[in-house]
Amino acid sequence: MTLPTDAFAFAPGLALTRRLRSTPFTSRVEAAGVRSYTVYNHMLLPTHFRGLEQDYHHLRRAVQVWDVSCERQVELAGPDAARLAQLLTVRDLRTFAVGRCGYAPVVDNDGLLINDPVVLRLANDRFWFSVSDSDVVLWAGGLAAGLGLDVTVHEPDVWPLAVQGPLAEEVVAAVFGEQAREIRFFRFAPLPFRNHQLVVARSGWSAQGGFEIYVDDAALGGELYDALMGAGARYDIGPGCPNLIERIEAGLLTYGTDVTRADTALEAGLDRYCSLDAPIAALGIEALRRQATAGVSRRISGLIIDGDAVTPPRDPWPAHAEGSTAGQITSAAWSPRLATNVAIGMLAIEHVVPGTALTVETTAGTRRGTAVEMPFPGASQR
Ligand code: THG
């Protein structure tokens, strides 16, 4: 039976008004046949082009250009920029040299997640927080004002464009020159495009490898999009976007869906990015140290869900174990490669053990589920 994995299309249309910001690439994305959008940081984010499964296979095989302008930059600049940056995140930024970027949880005083950005150190006294879907500019600006810090906090107009897939390096090298190949994972460098220097990083929200280009001049957007598409023609390049199936397999979390304001960074499983032993003055680090000592009572887990293809959840699906509540499933999709449904959920800690059997109340009825480790086998080609 073929179930509609393109089920987003059944939602009523969105009125595309000014509050729902378009991007310098929107005309290209629409000409390329975008079939659905979501809203992220008050901005349009494509969710599929040809179909979730077709987009998935193409991303793993070739290369795609993604309009991820919704990854907004919150810029901190000035004498107290480093102090504010370290107050905002529990990841030790002393280890971030200029030219380095990294995943860095932003939490409140209780260790609860405000955001999970990628942080770029542009200069000793200048940072970009490349944010997920929450208004970090208000949180950071409020802290700066309340503490009287000597720093400017604003959201510059920068529109990231991602090139993702195993052939991404070929395309980026063709457009930006051979120096692009020298950029290491989670490093960035300014590279020339049409007499303009653009920040180019080896990063992106897939496990297929690739780059993110931080476009800081809207007028260059269309030209860059076309140049990448032109250079990529011989590599079967196509339009794309973060892919639900691929990112579940990779274990990439989405703020607002898998983890929210109600979860701590440790419950989100972001332990690797929390420098709890470092002598840093980050907000919430004490709360996280205490939670690490006491142990978390729930945590993000991978799951497989038996049976035929599920339609991805809109609202979370309850999960049970031996008749009592075990947690909830927030993301799920059919993996054509693994021939099972792959999922992400927040489970009580006693169930976060690979092999634990659960029942999941999916939209398609009660299904058997099993907790598994993430990433899923074979997810990464990076
Ligand atoms: N790129 C940029 N900004 C972003 C995202 C991005 N902002 C919003 C959102 N995505 C933030 N969330 C993530 C989640 C995971 C990763 C990046 C951004 C990621 N993690 C790597 C991993 O899990 O393998 C490791 C990161 C590291 O080593 O520091 O890539 O995608 N610009």
Side-chain angles (χ1 to χ4, degrees):
M1 179 169 64
T2 308
L3 276 168
T5 44
D6 295 344
F8 302 118
F10 299 139
L14 274 173
L16 303 180
T17 63
R18 183 166 184 239
R19 274 185 293 104
L20 230 158
R21 299 178 284 197
S22 57
T23 85
F25 316 112
T26 297
S27 62
R28 297 318 196 265
V29 162
E30 293 187 352
V34 66
R35 298 250 297 271
S36 63
Y37 285 121
T38 186
V39 178
Y40 193 100
N41 282 324
H42 319 282
M43 192 171 267
L44 294 172
L45 171 63
T47 55
H48 83 283
F49 282 83
R50 282 170 278 196
L52 268 188
E53 290 194 14
Q54 265 180 282
D55 292 353
Y56 167 85
H57 289 303
H58 178 256
L59 170 61
R60 289 182 53 95
R61 174 173 54 75
V63 49
Q64 297 180 345
V65 175
W66 297 1
D67 177 0
V68 284
S69 298
C70 65
E71 297 167 358
R72 296 289 291 176
Q73 307 309 300
V74 174
E75 178 169 323
L76 316 182
D80 287 333
R83 189 174 154 209
L84 178 59
Q86 190 62 84
L87 207 52
L88 288 169
T89 180
V90 289
R91 184 156 180 185
D92 187 356
L93 295 181
R94 296 175 309 169
T95 64
F96 278 45
V98 173
R100 171 77 197 280
C101 46
Y103 192 33
V106 171
V107 301
D108 70 10
N109 220 25
D110 298 320
L112 295 165
L113 277 174
I114 299 270
N115 201 278
D116 65 334
V118 172
V119 173
L120 293 79
R121 187 166 210 156
L122 300 166
N124 279 328
D125 60 355
R126 188 164 167 248
F127 295 82
W128 278 347
F129 279 54
S130 183
V131 296
S132 55
D133 189 20
S134 72
D135 296 307
V136 169
V137 69
L138 304 179
W139 174 250
L143 282 170
L147 295 170
L149 299 180
D150 187 3
V151 58
T152 60
V153 178
H154 79 297
E155 217 183 270
D157 277 326
V158 174
W159 299 274
L161 190 64
V163 186
Q164 299 287 298
L167 302 176
E169 186 176 301
E170 303 310 316
V171 178
V172 172
V175 171
F176 287 93
E178 293 298 306
Q179 318 95 285
R181 300 187 193 275
E182 308 302 316
I183 301 174
R184 287 180 295 147
F185 188 56
F186 273 83
R187 299 292 194 286
F188 65 85
L191 294 182
F193 179 73
R194 306 276 191 268
N195 289 322
H196 198 101
Q197 300 288 317
L198 297 177
V199 170
V200 179
R202 194 184 287 267
S203 58
W205 213 59
S206 83
Q208 308 313 311
F211 294 81
E212 292 181 295
I213 305 154
Y214 291 79
V215 178
D216 61 1
D217 180 350
L220 285 176
E223 242 183 294
L224 176 62
Y225 192 100
D226 296 342
L228 291 165
M229 285 296 195
R234 53 197 285 231
Y235 302 107
D236 189 25
I237 201 168
C241 51
N243 182 273
L244 179 67
I245 308 165
E246 198 273 347
R247 72 95 183 160
I248 293 174
E249 289 185 357
L252 292 169
L253 306 181
T254 185
Y255 185 78
T257 296
D258 302 311
V259 293
T260 72
R261 253 331 248 121
D263 308 312
T264 72
L266 301 180
E267 290 165 348
L270 301 180
D271 312 44
R272 284 169 60 205
Y273 309 105
C274 298
S275 310
L276 300 187
D277 297 329
I280 52 174
L283 269 182
I285 198 162
E286 281 303 334
L288 292 180
R289 285 178 184 139
R290 282 194 300 274
Q291 189 176 44
T293 304
V296 293
S297 60
R298 58 202 186 115
R299 192 160 71 220
I300 282 289
S301 175
L303 291 100
I304 55 176
I305 297 176
D306 289 358
D308 57 12
V310 295
T311 298
R314 181 172 180 179
D315 297 312
W317 293 333
H320 302 282
E322 286 153 13
S324 60
T325 299
Q328 60 175 20
I329 308 313
T330 46
S331 295
W334 175 258
S335 166
R337 186 173 60 84
L338 300 173
T340 187
N341 295 296
V342 292
I344 298 176
M346 181 67 81
L347 300 178
I349 197 69
E350 59 269 29
H351 305 299
V352 187
V353 177
T356 302
L358 301 155
T359 54
V360 182
E361 308 304 325
T362 78
T363 320
T366 303
R367 297 282 184 93
R368 191 189 151 83
T370 309
V372 298
E373 278 183 63
M374 290 191 292
F376 285 80
S380 180
Q381 304 194 84
R382 185 158 73 182

